[in-house]
Amino acid sequence: MKNVPAMKHGFKFSLLLMMVLIAGCNMEEKTDEASRQSVPVFPKGEILSSDNFTGTVWLHMMGAEDSTLYARFGNVSFEPSARTNWHSHPGGQVLFITEGLGYYQAKGQPAQLLRKGNHVEIPPNVVHWHGAGPDTEFAHIAISLNTDEGGAVWLGPVTDEEYAGLDK
Amino acid sequence: MKNVPAMKHGFKFSLLLMMVLIAGCNMEEKTDEASRQSVPVFPKGEILSSDNFTGTVWLHMMGAEDSTLYARFGNVSFEPSARTNWHSHPGGQVLFITEGLGYYQAKGQPAQLLRKGNHVEIPPNVVHWHGAGPDTEFAHIAISLNTDEGGAVWLGPVTDEEYAGLDK
């Protein structure tokens, strides 16, 4: 029975190895989850320096190079609680949500919760805002349409009181 | 030393458990990878029954409910080698690539390789096609612009000879 101590150590060692394996397995999942969250579908672009937004917002303009399209479009990314000011578009706009979770609200209407895969149609001259949820990042492609009608008309910020009232 | 057989079994059992853990850990990764590939950003919709396409194509129309936008848009998904016919849009079109790898080609120009995160601006009346690579799935949001100018003008299929010439 001289192998017993070795077997005993083997048993302890295998228990230790199991713990390492379980930890490693979980760690791999978390790393994978983190890397998945950090790779957006469309480029994030640069931080936008503009008085028309609250919080940190990134913009990657994508066009239109061909002015005959009468459209302007780009990818807009919002840190949690970041948002546009109230504004409207003379030719309307469409948003395609590509990351995270956020809101669209037309003036006088309840806010709509938006997730990756949703889209929003914003008719001409409807005053509205869009942006991230309080604790969630958010990104969408924004396409301003019929831009021969004119550029966006910017109004005042969505106040903290208006934003805090989202879930009521 | 009456605990030895139990310890011996414990050792064997722990080895077996380790193997199960390792297998489970790998399986989890693979399941995760498979599910990631099979969950598109935007809904895939229904198989499109149309003579204007070659191969299997899915369409999820997303609008526009508000006709004042003068835009039509949807998510289009292509199986490997599936593609549109040659066609043009009187008001132009924009594509945003959301999945896989494919091509855009304007008549008389070299084909452009397109990946997830790319976009294409298609000026009014430019004859072109878009679709998947020979071995890759492909999906894009397509936004037809200025639709008051008229709907798409459909021409003949991209022949197997034209498609086979992509990489030349």
Side-chain angles (χ1 to χ4, degrees), chain A residues 141-159:
Chain A
I141 296 174
I143 302 125
S144 296
L145 301 162
N146 312 299
T147 52
D148 48 331
E149 301 287 335
V153 178
W154 289 99
L155 306 166
V158 176
T159 64

Side-chain angles (χ1 to χ4, degrees), chain A residues 58-109:
Chain A
W58 290 259
L59 174 66
H60 173 69
M61 279 308 288
M62 292 192 273
E65 287 163 21
D66 189 311
S67 62
T68 59
L69 294 175
Y70 301 113
R72 293 278 293 159
F73 40 90
N75 190 34
V76 193
S77 304
F78 302 79
E79 69 168 5
S81 88
R83 56 211 188 244
T84 69
N85 279 11
W86 292 102
H87 66 289
S88 65
H89 305 272
Q93 191 181 51
V94 190
L95 310 177
F96 296 99
I97 319 309
T98 54
E99 309 287 338
L101 199 144
Y103 291 89
Y104 163 79
Q105 185 174 27
K107 196 90 178 177
Q109 302 288 323

